[in-house]
Amino acid sequence: MLGRKKRIWEPGYFYHIVCRGNRREDLFLEQEDFLTFLYILEHVYQKCPFEVASYCLMTNHVHLQLRSQEQEISKVMARVNKRYADYFNYKYKLTGHVFEKRFFDRLIANEESMLETSRYIHLNPLEANIVSSPQDYAWSSLRYYFGKQVKQQPPYMNMDVLLDHFSGTKNEKGKKYHIWCLV
């Protein structure tokens, strides 16, 4: 029997990561589930730091634009997914797999791909016809980019890797990024 192919990890690069619910079933059944996933991300970040340039939590899958320079991406995602699966199964009195399979990952090799990946992630709720405007979706990092009033940006967010492609103050860069996303 063949084992799984080892994932290649390049610490200097961001990856587009997608985790799907088993059999494409919902991962998030209510608001508390979304909040718990974000809490788990922050908790895992405290133990093994990583950076997120963009994210979007959809009902049955998650998109992350993530870079880890200290731990392999596989180890970071194993911690996140295991903790969320334990929470989900306990809360809903279930057993077995919560996630479909190992997460999908694609290395983002250049600056253009960084921007395109973030646009894809941030426009996901719009493409799925969940919202009429992507900034209306509560479970996306887009709100941090266009300056919508939010309590506090999570410590794992690294917006500069995207904003530095635009000129001006941080606020001006955020507006330009937001407009670029919608074009």
Side-chain angles (χ1 to χ4, degrees):
M1 181 173 196
L2 294 174
R4 288 184 181 177
K5 183 179 174 186
K6 183 168 171 50
R7 291 183 188 261
I8 297 171
W9 170 53
E10 295 288 339
Y13 289 92
F14 276 84
Y15 287 79
H16 179 195
I17 295 169
V18 181
C19 304
R20 285 201 183 283
N22 197 24
R23 294 176 301 280
R24 297 186 181 243
E25 292 176 1
D26 287 350
L27 290 169
F28 308 104
L29 302 179
E30 56 187 56
Q31 182 175 340
E32 181 183 20
D33 301 337
F34 289 101
L35 292 169
T36 298
F37 188 88
L38 293 173
Y39 171 81
I40 289 169
L41 268 182
E42 193 165 330
H43 187 70
V44 170
Y45 166 81
Q46 302 299 331
K47 300 218 185 266
C48 52
F50 55 85
E51 302 165 73
V52 172
S54 66
Y55 70 80
C56 188
L57 311 182
M58 300 293 285
T59 310
N60 71 350
H61 67 284
V62 172
H63 289 276
L64 299 169
Q65 189 173 9
L66 186 142
R67 170 171 63 186
S68 175
Q69 298 191 55
E70 295 180 24
Q71 292 273 331
E72 291 182 32
I73 298 273
S74 294
K75 292 192 182 204
V76 172
M77 292 311 301
R79 286 179 183 216
V80 170
N81 288 352
K82 166 94 170 76
R83 288 181 182 168
Y84 187 76
D86 288 348
Y87 155 82
F88 190 87
N89 280 339
Y90 178 79
K91 179 178 180 182
Y92 295 107
K93 297 176 178 38
L94 299 170
T95 60
H97 296 284
V98 171
F99 293 97
E100 186 174 69
K101 54 186 167 185
R102 290 195 325 170
F103 63 90
F104 162 86
D105 69 322
R106 180 181 53 82
L107 184 132
I108 304 170
N110 57 51
E111 292 179 8
E112 184 179 328
S113 293
M114 278 292 291
L115 285 169
E116 288 299 329
T117 300
S118 71
R119 174 191 274 158
Y120 175 81
I121 289 171
H122 284 142
L123 294 183
N124 218 254
L126 183 69
E127 295 296 321
N129 293 314
I130 296 172
V131 293
S132 58
S133 181
Q135 63 263 30
D136 293 337
Y137 192 69
W139 309 111
S140 159
S141 58
L142 183 60
R143 67 183 183 267
Y144 301 120
Y145 284 92
F146 65 88
K148 189 172 182 178
Q149 294 299 321
V150 290
K151 269 198 232 176
Q152 186 178 355
Q153 165 186 324
Y156 50 77
M157 285 298 300
N158 179 352
M159 298 180 355
D160 291 337
V161 296
L162 299 175
L163 292 180
D164 285 349
H165 296 281
F166 302 93
S167 62
T169 65
K170 187 166 186 166
N171 195 30
E172 291 168 341
K173 290 177 180 184
K175 287 178 183 175
K176 289 176 183 178
Y177 172 78
H178 184 241
I179 291 166
W180 177 86
C181 264
L182 298 176
V183 175

